[in-house]
Amino acid sequence: MSERLVSLQPGFLIRHWPYGETSLLADVLTRDFGRISLLARGLRKPKSKLAGVLMPFVPLLLSYGAGRGELHYLSHAEHQHSAFDSPLQGKALFCGFYINELITHFLHQSDPHPEVFELYQQSLMALQNGAEVESCLRCFEVNLLELVGYGLDIRYDSQTHQLVEADRKYHFSVEQGPRESVNGEINGTTLHALHSRQFKDKESLLQAKKIMRMVIDFHLQGKLLKSRETIAKIIKHM
């Protein structure tokens, strides 16, 4: 039985590791097949034609054959002409690595999510075009969780079932949601901002970051995000 061939599939490199003496294992996000693993034979040889092609945050066209299990064999890769006309730099670059890390944790292998692929492209383009990084990351986090089945229901008070009001304060629980409290640490305006994906002030961004960190940590169940610490150090020294 011949292996299934996939030709010129749009994708992005998420992470990679050396394999053997000359090859590379790559985790890629594809438009139609989700997150998959590719073995690029001989890519680390000095004269490999693919050596300068597989780069993070660059739109790719990938051709590969389906192997046994979840491992596929890369046969061709090229850069895709697109609106990505300049690389990510500075803080935006490290934010890109954070986004990649979330992709590896929240997308199962070979589980197609074309809407996540589109979200990923849009987020990279926003970072490339100089978008406010904290706002961009919060939008990516809440949209990603919604697309993979972990959406937040933050519109209603979990105790009274009434709509959250902008001028009131709330406690937030990952499992139960917001609950009104005079000593609440979250403003109603922050919950509205998260729901609408529109952050108009620094306080809402800071509180939204706190909420999303609680939610992501809850679903990661103890797994650590290496890029989070790196970003925190960079922001501290900027």
Side-chain angles (χ1 to χ4, degrees):
M1 182 177 179
S2 60
E3 63 181 15
R4 178 171 59 87
L5 298 177
V6 175
S7 180
L8 300 178
Q9 172 67 204
F12 286 90
L13 174 68
I14 300 299
R15 55 180 179 169
H16 60 81
W17 313 263
Y19 183 82
E21 294 184 359
T22 61
S23 298
L24 195 76
L25 277 175
D27 209 13
V28 299
L29 175 65
T30 66
R31 183 189 64 195
D32 299 324
F33 303 98
R35 186 170 66 87
I36 63 171
S37 294
L38 292 176
L39 175 59
R41 294 189 179 104
L43 184 138
R44 293 163 58 218
K45 290 181 178 180
K47 296 183 180 180
S48 171
K49 296 180 180 179
L50 297 180
V53 177
L54 290 183
M55 300 171 60
F57 316 123
V58 175
L60 302 169
L61 293 174
L62 304 165
S63 298
Y64 58 89
R68 295 181 179 180
E70 295 182 336
L71 185 62
H72 309 284
Y73 299 96
L74 182 69
S75 59
H76 174 77
E78 62 185 70
H79 289 168
Q80 182 181 9
H81 297 294
S82 72
F84 288 73
D85 55 3
S86 61
L88 295 181
Q89 296 180 352
K91 187 163 64 171
L93 175 63
F94 289 96
C95 289
F97 285 120
Y98 172 70
I99 285 175
N100 281 1
E101 204 169 2
L102 290 182
I103 290 289
T104 64
H105 283 295
F106 284 97
L107 258 65
H108 297 295
Q109 284 273 355
S110 304
D111 186 10
H113 274 287
E115 65 280 9
V116 172
F117 184 84
E118 182 177 355
L119 170 65
Y120 183 84
Q121 283 193 115
Q122 292 172 347
S123 300
L124 289 189
M125 196 170 296
L127 288 172
Q128 180 199 60
N129 292 334
E132 206 286 321
V133 293
E134 292 293 339
S135 178
C136 185
L137 290 181
R138 300 296 82 77
C139 290
F140 179 83
E141 290 167 344
V142 71
N143 284 325
L144 175 66
L145 291 177
E146 184 174 286
L147 290 171
V148 299
Y150 297 127
L152 298 176
D153 189 0
I154 51 178
R155 296 169 298 169
Y156 296 93
D157 185 308
S158 61
Q159 192 168 34
T160 67
H161 307 294
Q162 300 296 313
L163 283 168
V164 164
E165 297 187 26
D167 59 351
R168 299 192 179 185
K169 292 184 176 294
Y170 296 83
H171 281 308
F172 178 80
S173 162
V174 176
E175 295 181 275
Q176 298 180 349
R179 175 176 57 84
E180 186 182 352
S181 170
V182 292
N183 298 316
E185 68 283 5
I186 303 297
N187 297 330
T189 52
T190 298
L191 298 172
H192 285 187
L194 260 178
H195 178 65
S196 66
R197 281 66 158 172
Q198 294 181 358
F199 302 95
K200 298 179 180 179
D201 59 82
K202 290 185 178 180
E203 186 175 17
S204 289
L205 271 174
L206 287 171
Q207 292 182 359
K209 183 175 184 176
K210 181 178 180 179
I211 291 173
M212 294 313 300
R213 176 166 289 200
M214 290 171 59
V215 173
I216 288 170
D217 288 348
F218 175 83
H219 291 298
L220 289 180
Q221 299 180 336
K223 296 177 184 177
L224 299 178
L225 294 172
K226 297 178 182 179
S227 55
R228 182 185 282 169
E229 183 178 352
T230 302
I231 294 171
K233 290 180 179 179
I234 292 171
I235 293 175
K236 183 179 179 180
H237 291 90
M238 289 189 72

